[in-house]
Structures are given as C-alpha cells and as structure tokens.
Amino acid sequence: MTKQEFRQLIEQKIVILDGATGSILQKAGMPIGVCPETWIIEHPESLINLQLDYLNAGTDIVYAPTFTSNRVKLNEYGLGEQIEEINQALVSLSKEAVKRFKESNSRPVYVAGDITMTGEQLEPYGKMKFEKLVDIYKEQIQCLVKAGVDLLVVETMLSLQECRAAVIAAKETCDLPVLVSMTFNEDGRTLYGTDPKTAVIVLQSLGADAVGVNCSVGPKKMCEVIAQMKPYAKVPLIAKPNAGLPQLINGEAVFSMDSDEFASESTHFLELGVNLIGGCCGTSPEYIKKIADLAKEYPVPNVNDPVIRAVTTERSTLEIDLNGRFIVVGERINPTGKKALQAELKEGKLNLVSEMANEQVEAGADILDINMGMNGIDEAAMMLAVMKEVTQLVNVPLSIDSSHIDVIEKALREYPGRALINSISLEKEKFEKLLPIAKKYGAMFILLPLSDAGLPKDMEEKKQIIHTVMERAISLGLKKEDIIVDGLVNTIGANKQAAIQAMETIRYCKEKLGLATVVGLSNISFGLPERQFVNSTFLAFAIQSGLTMAIANPSQDLLMNTAFASDLLRNKEEADIRYINRVTTRTMTITSGTSSIKTPEVKTDKEVTHDGSKIYETVLKGNKRVILELVDAELKKGTKASDILDTMLIPAINEVGHLFDVGKYFLPQLIASAETMKTAIDRLEPLLKENNQGKKAGTVVIATVAGDIHDIGKNLVALMLKNYGYEVIDLGKDVKSEVIIEEAKKVDADIIALSALMTTTMLEMKHVVRLRNEAKLRAKVIVGGAVITQSYCDEIGADGYSKDAQEAVTLVQRLI
C-alpha cells in the first residue's frame, strides 16, 4: 500500500480496525509468562481464526501479532537472533487470514505490521540512546517489510520521543504508510506528560500518516483526547479504546462495557470525525461488528488542513500567532564573548548552561536559542548534551542555532518535539541542504534574507531572497506557517535607515505574505552608549509594525517590560494580567546600562540556610550535575547530614510530589528530581550510618508480575522509596509469583509492591496475594499500574493501591 492509496482509502470510508488479541488468545489457552510470539507460531489456527472473525465482522486492517517482536523484547526470551523468522512467521499468519477471507469476499483488507515500545527508557531518563532505538525499530521494520505487510502501526506508546524514533526509522526504511497511536491517562496526558495537541502536531509534522489513541481508557474519556487533537490534525485520526475498566469477576479480569454500551459510546468518535476506529483491551469481533455497522450510518469525515504555526517541547505547545502576544527567544546560551561559559564547555561542564536556561525562562523567555559555536569542542556532541540538559530543566521549545548543517540535523533528529531552526538563507549549501532537513524532521525555520553575495543591496533584493526561499520551501511540502523571516537588522550607527528598513521588512512579511517575523534585537544599537534605551525603543516600534518575536536577553528588564507593555497597549489577550504580574513580582534597577533582577526566594516548610535553599531548588529542578557540589559545601559548613536530609532534601522531594499530583510536573521531572535526590543521599548515607541516623524505614520487595515486561512505573516507585529511606529489593520484571514470595520471606519484608501494565497479566497479582496468605507472611501487598484500580485491589484482597510513585510512598508510610 502506498501513502496515496492509504489516503484514498480514508477518503472512501471510515476505516475499521481490529480489536483485542492477547486477552482473547489467553482464553484460547495461551499461558501467562510464555513468549506470546512462539505460542502463536505453535498454535497458528488460534490467531488465524481470531483475525478471520475480525475480518468477517467488518475489519479493514488487521494488526499482525508482531507487537513485541523487536530485538529488545525477544532477547528477554533468548530469541533476539530469530527476529526475522519470528516476524516473517507472524505476518504470514495474518496474511493467511486475509487470504481465507478473500476466498469469499471482494472487500479490500490489509495487514499492518505492529510495533510498540521496547520497555527501555531513552536518555536522559534511561540508558537507551536515541540512535540505538532508531536502529532497533529499523531492524524490525525491515523484517516486516520483507514479510509483506501493507502498512505500519506504532501503537500503545507512552513516550513521544519513542514515537519519533519509530517514525524516523520507518521513513528511512520504506515508503509504507505509518500510523501512530499513543496511550493517554485519565488526566488527558501520556505517562511522560505529553498532551494531545502536542502529540498530533509533532507526529504529523514528522511525517506520520495518521495519529491517534489506543488502549488508555474507555470511549468516553478517549473522546476528550480526540477532541483536543481534532482542531490541529492535518492527518486522519485513530481511536481504539478499551471496553471500559477491568473488573475481577469469578477470577477473571472482565471489562465493564458490553458490546452495546461500547458501540453507543463510540458514536461520539464518529461525530468528532475520527477516520479509523477499532477496539483495544476487552473488545472482541462482536464489538467490532457493532462499530462497523454503526460507521455505515455516518458520512466519511474530511481530513482538514488547519493553519498551525507552532513549536513544541515534549510536553507542551507554543502557538505563534501573527496577531497574538509578543514572543521572546532567549539568546544567552551562546559561548560567543562569554569566557566563563567557554571555559566550562571545554571542561564538559554544563552548570552555567543550566543557570542560563532557568534564569531566562524565569525572566520570561518563551523559546531558548542554543548555539555551541566555538573552537576547542565537538560542536555537534556539545549541542546534543546541552539540548538534553536544557529539555530536562525547562519546558520551553528550543531554537537550534548553528552555522554547520550537520550540527543542526543531529540536533533536530534527537529533539523531543518540534524545534525552530536558526537559520536558513539563500546561501547555496544551506538553501539546498537545510530545507529538505527541515521538512524531514518537521521543524519550523528562520528565513535569513542573505545570499552567497552577502547582505541584500536594497529592499527589492531582500524581498526577492525571501520569495525564493519561501517558494522552494513550499515546493518541498513545507507551509508558509513554518517560516519566520528575520528582519535582518543592521546597526543604526552604520546605516541611519537600518530601523526603517527593518520595519518595512516586518510590515511587508506580515501584511503581504502572511509570514511571521523575528529580529536579533541588539544589532540595532551596536557601538552606541546606553544601548538598552535604543533597543527597547526600537522594539516598541517594531512590535507596532507587526513583529512576531525577538531574539534577546530576557534578563534586561527595560526590554522585557517594554514588550509586556506593548502587548497591554495593543489589547492582547490577558496582556493586562501578564503585565501586572511581571512588574509586581520583579524589581528593576538600571545603572550604567545594566539591569539587576530580584526574584522571590524559595520557601520550604522548614527554615533552611542559603545553601540549603540551593539544595532544595536543585532537587526541585532535577539538576543532578551540581547537587554533590552543594551538598559538600553544606557539609563543610558544619551542617549535619541528617539536617540536610530532613530540612532540604525531604521538603524538596515532597514539593516535587505535590507538583506531580497537581499536574505541573510529569514523569520526566519526577525522574530527574528523584535521581538528583538519590545522588545526594548516596553521598550522605555513610555519614548518616556513622551517626546511627541511617536506620531503614522498612523493607520493600518490588516486582513487575509474571508475563509483564513493562517496568517504567515500577522503577520510579523503587527509586522514590529508596529516597525516603526504605530498603528496596527490586526483582525486576516478568517475575514469577513464587519468586516474589520466596524473597519476601527471606528478607522479612514489610511490603510487597506489585506492578502490571497489561490486562493479560494483572491476575498474577491475585496469585501473589493468595501465596502470601498461604505462607502467612506479615508483608502487606500493594498494587499499581495502568490497568489497576482501587476496586481491583479490593477484589483481590491486596492491602493498598496507588496510582503513581508519590502516592506509593504515602501508602507505604501509612501501612508500615
């Protein structure tokens, strides 16, 4: 199937996908804990008959059972070297089902190669390198293409960055259509904090042919996610919900919705304009038939082409509105003219980078420009290191700034969202190479009106350059909304018309071409005394002329307050509140052309010293690089290790937990802060033991249950419990119930903590509870995971349920 053929299919009908596979095969006899791939290959008719039932129910696309057939997953069963044979065999079973269906039906049906996460976290939160993950996906995709799949589906994804790796791997391996569906929690975000709008913008910009949601929750909650995607979707949307939530009935995990209720609630998807619809956990051919029959009553929805001008992080989107509020790009993370930063970068340190990132965002920067152009370092490697550091610390989009094409491409490849390129000109090499790179990675770019001849000699030449670059970008599939034109500001000292010419460019781009604009603000005043007055006045004039954003130093309060005041005077949305908040929470002092800023001090629930406040802030911001330095400084001052723990570290991690609970922090920040605290505790632990203050709070045996190979949540719970002083024995994933009980008995555990992500493995928790009772252990059993609920906990006789890592800590404290 070509991409064009896929679009034609979408234009012809509402496409019906299949339903659950794993849970139905378990009912057919597949035991928990076995390798599902080998069991299916050994019992081919079970899969063929199930998929034939789905096809007869109205399914247009069946998913080959290659869900966990990547090398990482297969290695857990010692089968990594058989990856090609396994994928080939599994695809052939789905193709056999299609063949049998076509013997008595003329309706076109297709086989999708199914791909999912590896279970290993990417850097900087785990050990997996991005390029390694791309290679893992490429290997499986090559096997699927060779086996003859018609299209690819990347599904049940928790991480947007892992989705990006899979899409890049697919695009670099084949030309098949690529569908991507993510899993969202009840709060409307993925485990890593990605919201629906950001997901669809990033993935469609990268080249996904359809985007949507699967698994997660029931139809009602999933509709809310689809509704957030719809206004921004330029590609078809996918919905594949669960049949409600699982409940334990007669010893079996049964989903709450029958087929009639499922179909009734799924009408909302069809009303929203979903293009592909099916079912996930708890569904069956009966459910799919009712969806297929229902879909026939609805018109085929159009795929829209909304105007989107936006850059993103992994967790949020910054929309750039030509008539919206003014946007500031922070310029400080650039070693040019900064000797201290240059020295640190040569030593491989990023302390100043971290400070600059935090300070600029706190000062009001909307985007951060990253430039690592200097001698004595590997610019590409340093760009990636800084990018990873900054994306952990702050949640604003990045502008990738380099004069080297390879540096820009490497950064765009690994940036976990939609970035801005600074910049692309009409200079031959950049013009020819960077525009296709921008298209490949779905980036926006700054159009710099320069050519190989240098600066344009007049306004007409500048316009011609803008048109040439814009037209080439559009011919490659980019949009006008992907372009931000640099006004190319010269210094007023050398060209008295510099400001007038820049404002003419701004007006022309906005009014005639509908393009956003940006300027490098400080250029205008180069060589003049008291430059801040020239810069701020020019900024006010430029904003009035239609300027969209400026690259500037956000720590200059005169400049920033001018921008906020300009929005206020132009009656921009919420500009009054933003202006008042800014000027009342910051103090500006201008002396000799500089400004100093006073920001509110960090408050904790206990009185701390100044350095203690730094430790608190460092844990809060998850800055593992500097925590040891701060802890050592505090110890040298004579502060007791126990005081550092009790008055600085514990209050900080408690606040992190609170921010996570209220939805201001997400999994990446929680991991970063927990890792930072662990680094500090590892340093303090010998001192705490010396003073007999390292007494363990309790012993916890933790594991992901048999048959389940997902451990992200489990690992975080283990880390958080260690930070609170518990001895944690982590048995890993896919652990047999008997092994868990044996270890709990051996160490006389206070708590047995169990995790499960899959409905097909959650029953193992009940088995562990039964074995605990039979062994008469004193250990309390707590449970958690994506499919687990309080009611399920109660039904199996467990002692507690937690929805996340912070709640698990509170639960353990209460039970012990």
Side-chain angles (χ1 to χ4, degrees), residues 88 91 140-149 152 170 173-176:
Q88 176 74 47
V91 171
Q140 187 185 5
I141 291 168
Q142 286 166 354
C143 296
L144 293 171
V145 172
K146 188 174 181 180
V149 298
L152 299 170
T173 303
C174 66
D175 294 322
L176 295 180

Side-chain angles (χ1 to χ4, degrees), residues 600-777:
E601 294 180 3
V602 175
K603 305 292 184 184
T604 71
D605 56 353
K606 295 190 180 182
E607 189 174 329
V608 297
T609 63
H610 178 65
D611 280 341
S613 180
K614 286 184 179 178
I615 289 174
Y616 176 94
E617 286 187 70
T618 300
V619 173
L620 206 62
K621 293 173 180 175
N623 191 351
K624 190 165 67 172
R625 291 180 180 273
V626 299
I627 190 67
L628 287 181
E629 192 179 306
L630 295 174
V631 168
D632 287 340
E634 197 66 33
L635 290 170
K636 285 178 182 177
K637 289 169 55 179
T639 307
K640 292 180 181 179
S642 58
D643 288 341
I644 295 174
L645 178 64
D646 293 339
T647 68
M648 304 169 197
L649 294 174
I650 294 295
I653 205 68
N654 284 342
E655 178 62 12
V656 169
H658 169 69
L659 292 170
F660 182 78
D661 285 341
V662 299
K664 291 185 178 179
Y665 269 22
F666 302 99
L667 184 68
Q669 295 104 314
L670 196 59
I671 292 174
S673 291
E675 290 281 4
T676 302
M677 183 169 176
K678 180 179 181 297
T679 301
I681 288 176
D682 288 346
R683 173 70 180 88
L684 296 174
E685 193 169 25
L687 300 173
L688 292 168
K689 286 180 179 178
E690 280 178 20
N691 297 307
N692 201 27
Q693 309 234 331
K695 185 179 178 181
K696 66 184 181 183
T699 301
V700 180
V701 171
I702 190 169
T704 302
V705 297
D708 203 314
I709 50 180
H710 303 91
D711 64 355
I712 294 172
K714 183 266 297 176
N715 291 344
L716 183 54
V717 171
L719 178 59
M720 291 288 283
L721 287 170
K722 287 177 183 177
N723 285 344
Y724 278 87
Y726 295 93
E727 181 181 358
V728 179
I729 294 94
D730 188 346
L731 299 179
K733 54 191 175 183
D734 189 16
V735 184
K736 291 182 178 178
S737 301
E738 293 78 9
V739 173
I740 296 170
I741 295 299
E742 183 181 333
E743 185 65 25
K745 184 176 181 180
K746 175 182 171 183
V747 301
D748 189 25
D750 298 287
I751 300 288
I752 297 171
L754 305 175
S755 174
L757 188 72
M758 301 158 62
T759 55
T760 53
T761 61
M762 59 192 290
L763 287 175
E764 283 297 302
M765 291 177 166
K766 182 183 179 183
H767 188 204
V768 173
V769 171
R770 180 176 61 78
L771 292 177
R772 185 274 311 263
N773 295 340
E774 291 174 356
K776 298 181 179 178
L777 301 184

Side-chain angles (χ1 to χ4, degrees), residues 424-670:
I424 302 177
S425 66
L426 192 53
E427 294 165 292
K428 182 177 173 59
E429 188 177 23
K430 290 185 176 181
F431 177 70
E432 292 180 351
K433 295 182 179 180
L434 275 178
L435 285 174
I437 288 171
K439 172 59 180 172
K440 177 179 179 179
Y441 296 106
M444 291 187 69
F445 71 92
I446 293 175
L447 190 165
L448 185 65
L450 291 176
S451 67
D452 288 317
L455 290 168
K457 61 180 181 294
D458 53 32
M459 190 63 193
E460 285 308 309
E461 186 179 352
K462 184 189 278 190
K463 290 178 181 178
Q464 186 57 52
I465 292 172
I466 292 169
H467 278 272
T468 301
V469 176
M470 179 182 71
E471 288 163 9
R472 177 57 178 158
I474 291 171
S475 74
L476 290 171
L478 291 160
K479 303 275 189 176
K480 286 200 302 182
E481 292 76 36
D482 299 326
I483 303 170
I484 302 172
V485 176
D486 192 319
L488 203 61
V489 179
N490 295 318
T491 175
I492 197 77
N495 176 7
K496 297 186 187 305
Q497 296 291 312
I500 294 170
Q501 290 170 352
M503 285 184 275
E504 185 181 350
T505 303
I506 291 164
R507 284 191 294 269
Y508 176 76
C509 288
K510 180 183 179 182
E511 296 169 7
K512 301 294 185 183
L513 302 179
L515 297 176
T517 52
V518 64
V519 295
L521 206 56
S522 59
N523 293 348
I524 193 72
S525 63
F526 184 76
L528 294 175
E530 303 292 352
R531 295 176 61 187
Q532 76 277 6
F533 297 113
V534 178
N535 291 347
S536 59
T537 305
F538 171 65
L539 177 62
F541 287 170
I543 290 174
Q544 178 58 22
S545 297
L547 182 66
T548 314
M549 61 177 67
I551 301 172
N553 181 353
S555 66
Q556 296 176 350
D557 266 19
L558 178 59
L559 201 65
M560 294 297 289
N561 287 352
T562 299
F564 278 68
S566 296
D567 279 351
L568 173 66
L569 296 173
R570 295 184 303 146
N571 193 28
K572 297 304 175 184
E573 187 175 358
E574 296 184 351
D576 50 352
I577 303 300
R578 294 177 66 244
Y579 175 78
I580 291 168
N581 287 342
R582 178 174 179 84
V583 299
T584 56
T585 57
R586 300 172 66 85
T587 301
M588 178 177 69
T589 306
I590 300 178
T591 56
S592 301
T594 63
S595 66
S596 62
I597 303 167
K598 297 179 182 177
T599 53
E601 294 180 3
V602 175
K603 305 292 184 184
T604 71
D605 56 353
K606 295 190 180 182
E607 189 174 329
V608 297
T609 63
H610 178 65
D611 280 341
S613 180
K614 286 184 179 178
I615 289 174
Y616 176 94
E617 286 187 70
T618 300
V619 173
L620 206 62
K621 293 173 180 175
N623 191 351
K624 190 165 67 172
R625 291 180 180 273
V626 299
I627 190 67
L628 287 181
E629 192 179 306
L630 295 174
V631 168
D632 287 340
E634 197 66 33
L635 290 170
K636 285 178 182 177
K637 289 169 55 179
T639 307
K640 292 180 181 179
S642 58
D643 288 341
I644 295 174
L645 178 64
D646 293 339
T647 68
M648 304 169 197
L649 294 174
I650 294 295
I653 205 68
N654 284 342
E655 178 62 12
V656 169
H658 169 69
L659 292 170
F660 182 78
D661 285 341
V662 299
K664 291 185 178 179
Y665 269 22
F666 302 99
L667 184 68
Q669 295 104 314
L670 196 59

Side-chain angles (χ1 to χ4, degrees), residues 313-470:
T313 66
E314 188 172 10
R315 301 186 297 279
S316 64
T317 294
L318 174 68
E319 292 190 60
I320 302 168
D321 186 346
L322 289 186
N323 297 304
R325 71 173 182 84
F326 189 70
I327 289 171
V328 175
V329 182
E331 68 181 3
R332 291 183 60 203
I333 305 178
N334 184 330
T336 305
K338 300 182 182 75
K339 292 183 179 179
L341 179 57
Q342 290 175 11
E344 274 209 357
L345 293 176
K346 285 180 180 178
E347 293 176 14
K349 295 181 179 178
L350 299 179
N351 296 359
L352 273 175
V353 166
S354 299
E355 287 179 22
M356 289 175 174
N358 281 316
E359 287 172 0
Q360 288 184 101
V361 173
E362 288 167 3
D366 301 291
I367 300 170
L368 294 184
D369 189 78
I370 309 292
N371 183 306
M372 289 292 111
M374 61 173 279
N375 295 323
I377 64 170
D378 181 334
E379 185 181 343
M382 187 58 71
M383 174 66 82
L384 293 178
V386 168
M387 188 173 73
K388 289 173 184 176
E389 181 79 5
V390 172
T391 53
Q392 282 188 89
L393 292 173
V394 296
N395 187 31
V396 298
L398 300 188
S399 166
I400 307 302
D401 185 357
S402 177
S403 57
H404 298 289
I405 293 168
D406 65 313
V407 173
I408 290 175
E409 177 164 22
K410 287 177 181 177
L412 290 177
R413 190 173 179 86
E414 297 199 22
Y415 179 70
R418 189 181 195 216
L420 175 65
I421 299 172
N422 186 8
S423 57
I424 302 177
S425 66
L426 192 53
E427 294 165 292
K428 182 177 173 59
E429 188 177 23
K430 290 185 176 181
F431 177 70
E432 292 180 351
K433 295 182 179 180
L434 275 178
L435 285 174
I437 288 171
K439 172 59 180 172
K440 177 179 179 179
Y441 296 106
M444 291 187 69
F445 71 92
I446 293 175
L447 190 165
L448 185 65
L450 291 176
S451 67
D452 288 317
L455 290 168
K457 61 180 181 294
D458 53 32
M459 190 63 193
E460 285 308 309
E461 186 179 352
K462 184 189 278 190
K463 290 178 181 178
Q464 186 57 52
I465 292 172
I466 292 169
H467 278 272
T468 301
V469 176
M470 179 182 71

